[in-house]
Amino acid sequence: MLRLTGVVLGLASMALGVAVFHWPDPMLDTLEDSLYVNHFSPASTFALNCTARDNSTIAAQWLRLAYHDMATHNATTGLGGMDGSIAFEYTRAQNIGPGMAESLIDFAVSPNQYVGMSDFIAMGAVNAVIGCGGGPVIPFRGGRKDATEAGPATVPEPQQDLASHIDSFKDQGFNETEMISLVACGHSFGGVRKVDFPLIVTEDVPTGIQTFASKIGFDNTVVTEYLSGSTENVLVVGSNVSTRSDLRIFSSDNNATMQRLASLDTFNQVCADLIGRMIDTVPSDVQLTEPIEPFDYKVTLDTMLFPQGGSLAFLTTLRIIENGKNQTVTLFWKERTGTFCPSEGCSISAFHVNTGVEASLLATLKGVQSFNQHSFNASIDLATSISHFWFEVGNNDGSAPIIVDNHGTNFTIDQDVLIFDPRRSSFTIAGEFMVVGVKTSSPVDVTAFVTTTGPIGGVNPIPMPSNTTISFTLDSAHPPADGYTFYTSDRLPNRYSSSTLHATIDGQAYSLWVPTLSALGV
């Protein structure tokens, strides 16, 4: 047998320095889904084909949001950067325009307890560049931490002089040449709206916006038009001389950097590097992951264990990158106590294979066209339970089967004492209520730490995740069964994204992370 010592990393498996997924890892799980599976990354489609909004494009708004969030960074103190503080800053004059709030709302439904708004803002920049004009692929790292308050007002503004701009970018960690390049990259699409900046756009513009370049989309037209003297970039040739910030920046080294960026290949290479550095600029106490590539083999979020009719129902799904092979997958598991399975483990074949799960644009640019999902519904002996599981993938071509076993450690079921029961839970128009089972008849206090998303507040809502704790009560509608006593939650908040169950049972503390019921298909 060909044993894979874990979950292999797609087309980047031969590359050095990529994130390795050890199940369970809710952060990497969430981010990889959001990057590469369309079902889990609806916001990524918003920027495709340079979708228009507010006389601009969503892609341009997303890239502006990311830079303005990062601009709080101070390379000397290590404070600020890509930390989501823009959610507390977007009403400032330097962040004027509806695009800030709208972009934050685009991402507000995505965070959960393990992945914050700042990771999705950074992901938005990656999708903006490839989705509008087919720009370069920028590696994505995860693990940003969301701020809880506003950062300093350090976004450079058009009326400032060159020295101020150089100082601002230096504080952010970019030298003068990098400043020129990053401004050119950022201004490859988008423009200045007259309604927001009437002192900059002084002429009447029928479209409501003076674009930086004549071509909408990520490329170096902003550079070539500047060098040829044909530019209509209002920050270069606008009638208000004091706000010609692009002119001051672009010409600050006698156009040497702009001349180099006139090569599209060079432009794409430089922009990929600088925008990547921009979104990776984080507070010094934050450690980002290695770049996240599509996982060849991945146990999905819908793995669950719960009592049902005298046994334990075990549901899990293995997602595989479509590779053109006629693959079959077998699930194996071993018992927790006692002896029930044969020496090679109990096993079962998939009851359903969902082929052609749509990949995101980013995934297709990495050579991944779609995914196949092999789903299992195993009946586990109630007395012996389950301790761990693994998969055997056969190519049906005479080659040895591939063993997928979480880097040689197997996929471990840590405990079966506190469980989430999807069949007894409810997900209806009347609201969502979780039901959990505990393996004791003694009274137990069960709570859930719940993360909610979406705008919070009144006139200027803060579109950041928030957390609350809800309680569970003994569930009279579901009497004890199969050794479990059942508790039901208070009604779950609207827009909740995940919850972590907590209970102390027979003197031992247990916890269990549960995504939304809808994400689990309940």
Side-chain angles (χ1 to χ4, degrees):
M1 292 183 180
L2 174 62
R3 178 173 293 273
L4 296 184
T5 58
V7 180
V8 183
L9 299 178
L11 299 176
S13 60
M14 300 302 292
L16 298 177
V18 293
V20 179
F21 179 67
H22 291 265
W23 186 89
D25 186 332
M27 182 185 73
L28 275 183
D29 200 325
T30 300
L31 290 173
E32 196 265 0
D33 270 345
S34 300
L35 285 165
Y36 300 120
V37 183
N38 259 358
H39 174 71
F40 292 103
S41 57
S44 69
T45 63
F46 296 174
L48 293 180
N49 302 315
C50 302
T51 302
R53 185 164 67 188
D54 305 319
N55 308 118
S56 184
T57 64
I58 292 176
Q61 292 177 337
W62 285 2
L63 194 57
R64 179 176 182 242
L65 178 77
Y67 174 72
H68 283 228
D69 188 36
M70 183 281 302
T72 60
H73 184 67
N74 186 301
T76 301
T77 65
L79 299 176
M82 288 290 300
D83 59 4
S85 65
I86 190 67
F88 303 94
E89 303 156 3
Y90 72 94
T91 57
R92 291 174 176 169
Q94 59 188 207
N95 300 321
I96 193 170
M100 290 290 180
E102 290 169 342
S103 298
L104 287 166
I105 292 171
D106 290 338
F107 306 127
V109 299
S110 300
N112 59 35
Q113 183 179 343
Y114 292 91
V115 181
M117 177 71 86
S118 48
D119 268 342
F120 286 101
I121 294 173
M123 198 180 300
V126 173
N127 282 308
V129 171
I130 62 172
C132 182
V137 173
I138 298 167
F140 180 86
R141 297 167 172 82
R144 294 163 187 81
K145 305 299 181 186
D146 285 348
T148 57
E149 60 185 9
T154 51
V155 176
E157 298 184 73
Q159 72 277 8
Q160 294 175 328
D161 60 22
L162 178 62
S164 297
H165 285 130
I166 292 173
D167 288 343
S168 292
F169 279 89
K170 180 181 178 181
D171 286 343
Q172 296 159 17
F174 299 95
N175 63 33
E176 184 175 349
T177 298
E178 292 165 341
M179 171 190 71
I180 298 168
S181 299
L182 188 57
V183 171
C185 297
H187 289 177
S188 62
F189 48 29
V192 183
R193 294 187 350 134
K194 181 176 177 62
V195 66
D196 297 326
F197 297 96
L199 298 181
I200 298 177
V201 184
T202 59
E203 307 295 330
D204 290 332
V205 282
T207 60
I209 187 172
Q210 182 60 62
T211 57
F212 296 124
S214 62
K215 182 180 177 182
I216 296 176
F218 191 94
D219 64 18
N220 67 340
T221 302
V222 69
V223 174
T224 57
E225 290 183 342
Y226 165 79
L227 292 173
S228 69
S230 62
T231 184
E232 293 184 4
N233 180 352
V234 72
L235 299 182
V236 173
V237 296
S239 60
N240 188 341
V241 176
S242 67
T243 57
R244 291 181 180 176
S245 55
D246 279 8
L247 175 62
R248 291 191 287 272
I249 290 171
F250 292 164
S251 63
S252 61
D253 65 352
N254 295 316
N255 293 329
T257 299
M258 294 296 277
Q259 292 285 358
R260 191 163 66 93
L261 297 176
S263 161
L264 182 58
D265 287 342
T266 300
F267 180 83
N268 283 336
Q269 180 181 356
V270 169
C271 290
D273 174 64
L274 289 177
I275 295 176
R277 281 179 50 194
M278 179 187 83
I279 63 174
D280 289 348
T281 297
V282 294
S284 58
D285 61 347
V286 174
Q287 180 66 48
L288 297 180
T289 69
E290 294 296 327
I292 302 171
E293 297 292 336
F295 301 141
D296 272 355
Y297 300 94
K298 178 179 177 182
V299 175
T300 61
L301 288 171
D302 58 0
T303 298
M304 291 176 281
L305 181 72
F306 55 92
Q308 181 175 287
S311 64
L312 289 169
F314 178 61
L315 307 181
T316 192
T317 297
L318 182 67
R319 193 205 72 192
I320 303 176
I321 292 177
E322 168 58 43
N323 57 15
K325 298 179 180 179
N326 180 28
Q327 294 180 311
T328 55
V329 182
T330 304
L331 167 70
F332 287 83
W333 72 91
K334 293 290 286 185
E335 55 276 270
R336 178 175 297 278
T337 59
T339 303
F340 182 83
C341 297
S343 59
E344 67 271 17
C346 293
S347 63
I348 191 174
S349 299
F351 79 90
H352 178 70
V353 180
N354 185 14
T355 60
V357 176
E358 188 176 5
S360 68
L361 172 61
L362 182 59
T364 64
L365 293 174
K366 293 175 177 286
V368 177
Q369 300 303 313
S370 65
F371 303 90
N372 297 330
Q373 293 181 333
H374 298 254
S375 297
F376 300 86
N377 186 348
S379 180
I380 307 294
D381 181 70
L382 193 64
T384 58
S385 190
I386 178 174
S387 63
H388 61 272
F389 63 100
W390 67 97
F391 302 91
E392 185 176 292
V393 180
N395 289 324
N396 297 306
D397 59 2
S399 62
I402 297 168
I403 306 302
V404 181
D405 61 358
N406 206 27
H407 298 273
T409 63
N410 293 309
F411 300 96
T412 301
I413 303 297
D414 290 332
Q415 54 88 22
D416 60 359
V417 178
L418 174 66
I419 56 95
F420 162 65
D421 195 320
R423 300 292 168 83
R424 290 175 170 87
S425 299
S426 63
F427 174 44
T428 67
I429 195 171
E432 296 187 18
F433 298 87
M434 293 180 66
V435 174
V436 302
V438 295
K439 215 176 193 179
T440 181
S441 58
S442 302
V444 172
D445 288 330
V446 182
T447 59
F449 182 78
V450 179
T451 301
T452 60
T453 61
I456 303 165
V459 177
N460 291 315
I462 305 299
M464 288 287 278
S466 64
N467 301 302
T468 187
T469 299
I470 63 171
S471 299
F472 288 69
T473 55
L474 195 64
D475 191 341
S476 58
H478 298 104
D482 301 322
Y484 287 86
T485 303
F486 300 97
Y487 292 77
T488 187
S489 71
D490 296 337
R491 179 173 177 167
L492 293 166
N494 292 332
R495 302 186 311 273
Y496 91 96
S497 62
S498 69
S499 59
T500 297
L501 305 174
H502 295 283
T504 298
I505 302 167
D506 297 332
Q508 182 171 344
Y510 293 89
S511 63
L512 179 68
W513 184 67
V514 182
T516 60
L517 302 189
S518 56
L520 294 172
V522 179

